[in-house]
Structures are given as C-alpha cells and as structure tokens.
Amino acid sequence: MRRRYAYVLLFAVPALLAAAIVAVVVGAAAAGGMWLFVFGDNPWPASAGTALTVLFLVAGVATWAGLLAVAYAFGKKQEERATASLRPVVTAVGATAILALAVVFQQWRVGNLGPKSVDVLCSEYCREKGFTASATSPRDSGDATCGCFDVQGHEAVKVPIGQVTPNAGER
C-alpha cells in the first residue's frame, strides 16, 4: 500500500475525533451567538435549528476532510523515503488517546461523567417528592441542607444533605 493511503487510514480516527470537537465548538459558538444577538429567550424558529445542524455537519466534514488531506500530503512526501518509520503510528495512537482523554476530562469536569454533584442530587430529590424547584445552602455557610420549593416559590421542605443521599454530606 502506498504511504499516502496508509497515512490517511492511520490518521482517520484522530482526525474524526478532532473534527467532532471542532464541530461541537463551532456549533456551540453559533448557538450562543444566536441566543445572545438574535433570538434571546424568545421562541426560536425551526430554521434556526436546521441552520445550526447544517453548520455543525459542514464544520465537522470540512475539518475531517482537511485533516485527511494533510495526512495524504504528508504521506505522499514520505513515499520518497526508503524506509518506513514507526513514528506515524505512535503519533496517530497518541493523538487519538489525547483527544479521547480531553473529551472524557471535559465531560467529567462539567458533571456528565462521575459522581453527581450535591446540587443535582438535591434537585432529583425534590423532583421525586413533587416539588418544582430546589436549592442547596451556600457552601461556606456550614449548613449542608437541601431545600425544596413549591409553585409559589416558598420553601416547603428543608432536609439535611445526608438525607438526600448518604455520601452527599461531603462537599
């Protein structure tokens, strides 16, 4: 197999991960800009969702194609060398690992992975009890409580965090 094609195959997965990250960032930035400057909290038309989806797909496909074109060009230059190197394999595997770990770390940091935060546990507790809202006491108050609020916004129930979940007392 010619090196130009081998490089494209070798870097397809890390390029796809990088393209997905770029597409998410571009889509989120566009949605944030549309929210800040165009629609705000008003109802958004269906065309806005369609435009964001198209932008997400175009950004992802264009980034992936661009990165694969770079891999192709680099592989084509490497065909002039007499011996193959293990360096591109290590680079591709390393790039894949770094990008995957970056995604996992970011998802862990925002709370989508790992243990649930005290605020989320309090919210779930209050929702299960039929209340519309919840709040935890300020972290520096020394009062580790979960408050559940009724539809009028009055605190109806206040329970210690330990009652919400056994491990939640540690902040």
Side-chain angles (χ1 to χ4, degrees):
M1 177 186 289
R2 298 180 101 171
R3 286 191 193 160
R4 62 183 82 178
Y5 303 123
Y7 272 61
V8 169
L9 289 175
L10 189 60
F11 287 96
V13 173
L16 183 62
L17 283 173
I21 292 169
V22 168
V24 167
V25 169
V26 167
M34 290 172 73
W35 177 70
L36 281 173
F37 302 114
V38 181
F39 300 116
D41 290 334
N42 298 324
W44 289 33
S47 60
T50 303
L52 287 172
T53 302
V54 169
L55 178 66
F56 173 83
L57 292 173
V58 167
V61 170
T63 302
W64 195 36
L67 290 172
L68 291 179
V70 169
Y72 179 86
F74 192 77
K76 191 173 179 180
K77 284 182 183 178
Q78 296 301 313
E79 287 177 354
E80 298 169 3
R81 301 180 97 191
T83 60
S85 172
L86 192 58
R87 189 174 184 186
V89 175
V90 172
T91 303
V93 170
T96 303
I98 288 170
L99 290 168
L101 286 173
V103 170
V104 168
F105 176 73
Q106 190 275 339
Q107 289 297 300
W108 185 282
R109 193 174 56 82
V110 298
N112 291 337
L113 298 174
K116 293 181 181 179
S117 70
V118 173
D119 296 327
V120 171
L121 293 169
C122 177
S123 173
E124 289 175 353
Y125 174 83
C126 291
R127 226 177 304 130
E128 286 175 7
K129 301 293 182 190
F131 295 103
T132 57
S134 66
T136 57
S137 56
R139 291 199 163 102
D140 58 356
S141 70
D143 183 29
T145 58
C146 171
C148 301
F149 299 89
D150 59 19
V151 291
Q152 286 83 27
H154 300 104
E155 188 173 56
V157 175
K158 189 174 194 175
V159 296
I161 291 293
Q163 274 187 271
V164 174
T165 184
N167 298 333
E170 304 140 10
R171 287 189 178 197

